[in-house]
Structures are given as structure tokens and as C-alpha cells.
Amino acid sequence: MVAERAGTSIAAVSLVVNGKQAGRISDENAERVRAAVRELGYVVDSTASALARGTSDVVVLLAPDLPNPFFGRVINAVQETLGPRFQLLLFASPTGEQPTVADVQRLAALRPAGLLVSAPTVEFLDDAPPGVPLVLLDAPGLQDRAPTVNYDLASGVRALIAHLAERGHTTIGYLDGSTPAATYELRRTLLQAEAERRGMTLLTTPPVRSRPDIAEAMAATEAALPGWRAAGATAVIAASDTLAHGVLAACARAGLRVPEDIAVAGFDDLPASSVTAPALTSVALPGDLLGSVAARLLLSLIEGGEAPETHELPAELVVRASTG
Amino acid sequence: MVAERAGTSIAAVSLVVNGKQAGRISDENAERVRAAVRELGYVVDSTASALARGTSDVVVLLAPDLPNPFFGRVINAVQETLGPRFQLLLFASPTGEQPTVADVQRLAALRPAGLLVSAPTVEFLDDAPPGVPLVLLDAPGLQDRAPTVNYDLASGVRALIAHLAERGHTTIGYLDGSTPAATYELRRTLLQAEAERRGMTLLTTPPVRSRPDIAEAMAATEAALPGWRAAGATAVIAASDTLAHGVLAACARAGLRVPEDIAVAGFDDLPASSVTAPALTSVALPGDLLGSVAARLLLSLIEGGEAPETHELPAELVVRASTG
DNA sequence: CTGAAAGCGCTTACAG
DNA sequence: CTGAAAGCGCTTACAG
């Protein structure tokens, strides 16, 4: 360790570099260490540090659909609230799939300081490395397993169904996500209950599903559209905006006018949803809030704070042209 | 190390686990080690392994705009061709910004097996950790610094300008990316040269720029639109589809019909571009090819193969309604 | 073919 | 306040 070239023991350097000199190193020596560090451009070897300490300064965000524009703001917010102390690394499993046990083991071997997991499955939680601070994002019904940040989907759903009812719709097709995440389960359940409460029908059998991919969603919709229309559907709700984009594409190809022939709505309020043809009505899920709150929970967990409570974020309806 | 509980020395376990027993461990002992590993569910501690070996099995993909849907296919392809031997981790700098020197140092301290860097700046390459296998993606003009996978932008640009010329356009507004990546520089230069060659005008002064964010692109376009129209522009090209989505939004708000009043085109051919209002003409940059070729180059670099050559991928024009 | 040992670059009790 | 030393869990020459 070259840094000690400037006078002190190697332990002293470690203490100063980690800001633990308080009352253990003289100000004079501390200053000499800092000078040496500066001159030599020394930076702690995080691998060795992680080995000695048992934990690294890496925080991993796992999401099944990371390239979804939804995560842009989540990532930025997480980075910002984590600050420079931690390094955020992202782990993406192939779109719509869950990380394998092997993936999880390899992540654990990285000794992350913390894990942020979006839309996890129960299976994933069973495999999760024990002892690693863990915060779940968008994982309704799983808050007994770990601190969780959820959206208040119920109120968003209520607003969406009320809006469609007001527009005179009574039968609604539903394009579900094929990912086995709890949040999709909940969206469907809530929509169904709310529709029922108002004497409306949400068409969920046979189930129509797609991974978060516009082309796949379009194909699924094209196949389902005749059935939905035959059942009297005048509107389609998709479990996410990406899926809804596929619905729009399918309607266009089928020669259906939106919203005149059929209304369309989604969840997320992606940036692109304001420029689709037509602009998309959506239940907005604010990603920046999700990221900042989750990161704050994780920080308090890492600092040994008591298990923080679960948080619920607003989910507001944004009405645009696709529902008239 | 509990695994040696099953008979052999700890060195033997290491050799077997790493598949280096060839002619060094008896088949009998090797088998006993494997059995023990299985029973105990042992998995190598990658931190310690990385420290001892000087390198980890982590490959890092750096991209300034990771949540851009463009990267979905890139990531999938990279993961697939890297195989199970390596763990792909993603590093995102805030949208449109470049990683800082501190970021780079912390990545280097991770001792990655390799680095994949998308749309890097020259400054980044100056800071890049020496000795780490490095492959550049979409980095025209930088192939003397490291093996690079580029798109054949020239032919895409030629097709786009030819298409607009054929439609009778002679003056074209240009919305540039504000990221200081070489690829944006090249797109502008090529467009300008090609327009000039055909006696057309690409409006680049004053420069109009935006980060890859629909709202920001819309604002930039709204500010520029009067000037462009006054100069006689009947078309707008954006440096990426995300920017083009902002242009579409701005045109809609200004009451301009696309393509009747003004034609619009972009680069990337994002999935959402087929469902915008109207569907967007775009120079398609196939992300899956980019990812698989780059990963293959990196693998050969890691395996100590000689510096692979630079590759060029096709960039074909996809014509849709936004240009008539 | 096999094992004891040094070393990777840190951190952290533990004596002074 | 300071330093010598053990230890984190592996890998890899090096003797047998």
C-alpha cells in the first residue's frame, strides 16, 4: 500500500480514508494521509475492502423489465438519494422473466450493501440472500416479507373505472401482463371488483396476456379483439402502457377508430403515452417517487435502523384522447 | 471452508470448482469434491476469488441512457452471448450525462472482467481503467482507441435524405442530441453533407438540442419551430426517435399536421415509433445485433485473443406515415 | 497426483 | 493516539 509512503501506518490510512479517525489519529497525521492520497490518486480497492468487511458498497436494483422507460426516473431518483457512498448497479433479467436461482446466488456473492427488487415473485423472495438489506418496489401483498413501496392502485383503478362508466362503457376487454408479478395480479383483481361494483363487465376469460413488448401485445390484442367485440366491449384496459401501445397498434391495423369505436387505457403514464395515436389515458405511477422512497428505506435499513414501514404512493388517472 | 469436509485439501476444491483439475486431481477425489459441493450448496465467494485472481466475472455495460427502450434488445443480446460464465451488470449515468471520473474509478475497483461502453466521449476513454478489456458500441471515429461496433450510419442517412428529396422537401430542421457522444456528431455531419450534395438545406444554426427526454425535446422544438418554418422547412429530422417523439408532440400542440404541414423522421426505430401519431419514419439501428457482436468481441478480448477488428452493422430506413 | 503456504489489499480488534 | 498482526475466502506457484 503505497499511500503509507507518506509517514504513517497502513491502519492509519485505512481509518482516515474511511472517515473513522475521530479521536484515533492526530489531526496532523490525518492531514498528511489526505495529502498522500491526493498526490498518489489513491482509491480504495473495493474488492479487498468488501472481503475484509463482509459487505461492499454496491446496491443492486433488480427489475424484470429494466429498459422500460418507466425505470428511467426510478433509476435517477435512486441514484440521487443513495448519494456518492453507494454504487448503483442494475441487474436485468430477460424481459418479462424472473431472475434464476443462479442469478441470485451470483448477486449474493457480490456482497451487496443492499437490494432493491421491483415486482418480485414469491419464488424470488424465497431464494433471496439472507442477511442482505432488502426493499421491494411495487410488490403488493408482499410487505410481510420485506419493507415495500407500493402504489395506491386502488384509487387509481377507482378513478379509471369511474371515468369509463361516465363515458358510457359497460363492457371492457382486458390485456394482462404475463409476468407473474403480484402487481399485475392486483391490477386485475381491483379492476374486476370495481367494475363489478358498478355493474360493468371486465372480460378476463379467456385470459389475454403479453410480455411487456409492443409487438407481442399487438399480436395478443389482434387475436382477442373479435371476441371482445362480440362480447360487446367498447373499451380495452391494458395492465401497462407498453401493452396499451400494442393495443393501439392492433386497433389501427383492424381499422378501429380510438376512441370512437373503442376506448383504450393503460397504467404507468410513460413519456411516450402523450404522443401516441391517440394520446393515451393512463393511471400514472410516478417512478421518481418510487425510487426515492425505496432508496431512503434501504438506507435506513443499511444503517441498522429498525424495519421501516411500508409506503404507499399516489396513483392518479391522467385522462387523454384515447378515452374520448 | 466447509467443502473440504469431504476429504481433500482446500486447494483441490478450488481446482475442481474452477474446472482446472485436468491431470492434477484424481477422478475419484474430483468426484467427491463435486458431491460435497452439491450437498452443501457451496458457491464460490466471488469477492475473495476476485481479490485473489485480480479480476471478477462481472461485465459492466455503461450507457448514458439505459432506460431508453433501445437498450432492451442490446441487453438481452449481450446476456445471451456472454453466457452463464459472466454476470452482466449495468451502469446508468443520469440521462444524457456521462459517467464521472469517480464513477469510473469505482467501476475499476470492481475489477470487471470487461467493459462495454455505449456512445462514449473522448474524455471517458481517457479516464478508462487501463488493462480492462474494453469494447465500444456506437462510437464512430473512436475505433483507434478500442475495438468498436458501429452502425453504417452513412447508408441510413443517404436513404433518409433521398427519401425526403423524393417527397419534394428541400429545407429541413434538425433537432440534435445534447449528449457529447461521437455518434450524434456523426449523424449531424453526415446529414448535412448528404443534404448539401443534393442541394438541400439542413438547418443547424442556431443549434437546437435536447437530452433524450420527450418533454425536453418538445420544449426545444416548440422554441425552434417558428424559426424553422420561417426558413422554409417542410421537414424535421431528429437525432433519435425519443427526440422525434418530442417533435411530434410539439407539432401536435402547434396545430401542425404531420406529414401534410411538416414531415418528421428519427433514428433508432424504437418499438413505440410504430404507434405514434403518426407512425414515425426512422433509420433503424438494430440493437440485438449491436449487443451480440459487441459481446462476442469482448469475449475474444477477455480470452486474450488479438484485438478484434471493428464491425459495422446495417442501418436501414423504415418509412412510415410521418413522412407521407 | 496432493498438500502446505504465501499472497491478493484491505479492516479491525488488540496491545502498547 | 499509534502500530503490528490476524483474518476476510479464495488462487496459485511450489515442494513433495
Side-chain angles (χ1 to χ4, degrees):
Chain A
M1 192 168 169
V2 260
E4 59 169 312
R5 276 286 186 136
T8 68
S9 79
I10 147 174
V13 173
S14 175
L15 290 172
V16 171
V17 165
N18 290 297
K20 294 184 180 169
Q21 2 77 14
R24 312 175 92 281
I25 307 288
S26 64
D27 287 357
E28 191 189 325
N29 274 352
E31 192 41 58
R32 295 175 58 185
V33 167
R34 285 195 209 94
V37 165
R38 228 173 293 129
E39 284 160 22
L40 279 63
Y42 170 75
V43 43
V44 183
D45 181 310
S46 66
T47 304
S49 172
L51 180 58
R53 202 160 33 180
T55 174
S56 72
D57 56 3
V58 166
V59 167
V60 179
L61 169 62
L62 271 108
D65 185 31
L66 214 41
N68 191 316
F70 171 74
F71 281 103
R73 319 195 117 168
V74 179
I75 293 169
N76 280 177
V78 167
Q79 267 174 162
E80 206 159 291
T81 104
L82 242 31
R85 194 173 128 214
F86 296 99
Q87 171 97 32
L88 178 65
L89 253 24
L90 313 174
F91 179 83
S93 42
T95 290
E97 280 171 44
Q98 293 295 317
T100 65
V101 177
D103 290 334
V104 174
Q105 282 181 333
R106 304 181 78 183
L107 285 180
L110 235 48
R111 304 178 178 233
L115 243 39
L116 256 16
V117 186
S118 173
T121 58
V122 181
E123 293 76 50
F124 172 81
L125 292 179
D126 292 338
D127 298 331
V132 178
L134 173 66
V135 171
L136 272 25
L137 330 203
D138 203 9
L142 265 26
Q143 48 283 311
D144 51 316
R145 304 294 299 268
T148 304
V149 186
N150 281 151
Y151 289 113
D152 179 13
L153 288 168
S155 74
V157 162
R158 221 174 297 129
L160 174 56
I161 295 291
H163 168 68
L164 291 177
E166 193 178 290
R167 289 289 188 281
H169 300 283
T170 58
T171 304
I172 306 168
Y174 187 58
L175 176 58
D176 205 349
S178 60
T179 315
T183 185
Y184 287 116
E185 182 97 24
L186 181 61
R187 292 176 198 192
R188 176 168 35 74
T189 314
L190 287 173
L191 284 164
Q192 204 152 19
E194 188 64 16
E196 208 160 298
R197 208 176 62 75
R198 288 179 172 272
M200 299 160 70
T201 310
L202 189 78
L203 303 171
T204 54
T205 46
V208 183
R209 305 162 179 281
S210 167
R211 287 178 302 172
D213 172 271
I214 292 183
E216 185 174 329
M218 180 178 82
T221 305
E222 280 187 317
L225 220 32
W228 284 339
R229 301 267 291 167
T234 54
V236 174
I237 297 177
S240 76
D241 273 13
T242 296
L243 296 179
H245 294 167
V247 175
L248 290 178
C251 291
R253 285 182 49 161
L256 295 174
R257 292 165 306 162
V258 178
E260 294 83 353
D261 300 327
I262 195 147
V264 179
F267 284 80
D268 283 349
D269 190 23
L270 292 187
S273 292
S274 60
V275 294
T276 50
L280 187 67
T281 291
S282 185
V283 176
L285 308 181
D288 42 358
L289 264 181
L290 185 68
S292 60
V293 172
R296 213 169 310 130
L297 291 194
L298 188 66
L299 282 178
S300 87
L301 222 50
I302 290 174
E303 264 135 29
E306 53 211 81
E309 338 149 19
T310 284
H311 283 250
E312 191 143 281
L313 306 175
E316 275 160 22
L317 181 68
V318 177
V319 176
R320 298 205 184 85
S322 71
T323 54
Chain B
M1 190 164 167
V2 260
E4 58 170 312
R5 276 283 186 141
T8 68
S9 79
I10 146 175
V13 173
S14 175
L15 290 172
V16 172
V17 164
N18 290 296
K20 294 184 181 170
Q21 3 77 11
R24 310 175 95 278
I25 307 287
S26 64
D27 286 357
E28 190 190 326
N29 274 352
E31 192 40 58
R32 293 175 59 184
V33 167
R34 285 194 208 95
V37 164
R38 229 172 293 129
E39 285 160 23
L40 280 62
Y42 170 75
V43 44
V44 183
D45 181 310
S46 65
T47 305
S49 171
L51 180 58
R53 203 159 32 179
T55 174
S56 71
D57 57 2
V58 166
V59 167
V60 179
L61 168 62
L62 271 107
D65 185 30
L66 214 40
N68 191 315
F70 171 74
F71 281 103
R73 318 196 116 167
V74 179
I75 293 169
N76 280 177
V78 168
Q79 267 174 163
E80 206 160 291
T81 103
L82 241 32
R85 196 174 126 212
F86 296 99
Q87 171 97 32
L88 178 64
L89 253 24
L90 313 174
F91 180 82
S93 42
T95 289
E97 281 172 42
Q98 293 295 318
T100 64
V101 176
D103 289 333
V104 175
Q105 282 180 332
R106 303 182 77 183
L107 285 180
L110 234 49
R111 304 176 177 234
L115 243 39
L116 255 17
V117 186
S118 172
T121 57
V122 182
E123 293 76 50
F124 172 82
L125 291 179
D126 292 338
D127 298 331
V132 179
L134 172 68
V135 171
L136 272 26
L137 330 202
D138 203 9
L142 265 26
Q143 48 284 309
D144 50 317
R145 304 294 299 269
T148 305
V149 186
N150 280 152
Y151 289 112
D152 178 14
L153 289 168
S155 74
V157 161
R158 221 175 297 127
L160 174 56
I161 294 291
H163 168 69
L164 292 177
E166 194 177 290
R167 290 288 188 281
H169 300 281
T170 57
T171 305
I172 306 168
Y174 187 58
L175 176 58
D176 205 349
S178 60
T179 314
T183 185
Y184 287 117
E185 182 95 24
L186 181 61
R187 292 175 198 192
R188 176 168 36 74
T189 313
L190 287 173
L191 284 165
Q192 204 150 21
E194 188 64 18
E196 209 160 295
R197 208 177 60 77
R198 288 179 172 273
M200 299 160 70
T201 312
L202 189 78
L203 303 171
T204 54
T205 44
V208 183
R209 304 163 180 280
S210 166
R211 287 178 303 172
D213 173 271
I214 293 184
E216 184 173 330
M218 181 179 80
T221 305
E222 281 189 316
L225 220 32
W228 283 340
R229 302 266 291 168
T234 55
V236 174
I237 296 176
S240 77
D241 273 13
T242 296
L243 296 179
H245 294 168
V247 174
L248 290 179
C251 291
R253 284 182 50 160
L256 294 174
R257 291 166 306 161
V258 177
E260 293 83 353
D261 300 327
I262 195 146
V264 179
F267 285 79
D268 282 349
D269 191 23
L270 292 188
S273 292
S274 61
V275 295
T276 50
L280 188 66
T281 292
S282 185
V283 176
L285 308 181
D288 42 357
L289 263 181
L290 185 68
S292 59
V293 173
R296 213 168 311 130
L297 292 194
L298 188 66
L299 281 177
S300 87
L301 222 50
I302 291 174
E303 264 135 29
E306 54 212 81
E309 338 149 18
T310 284
H311 283 250
E312 192 143 281
L313 307 174
E316 276 160 21
L317 181 68
V318 177
V319 176
R320 297 205 185 85
S322 70
T323 52

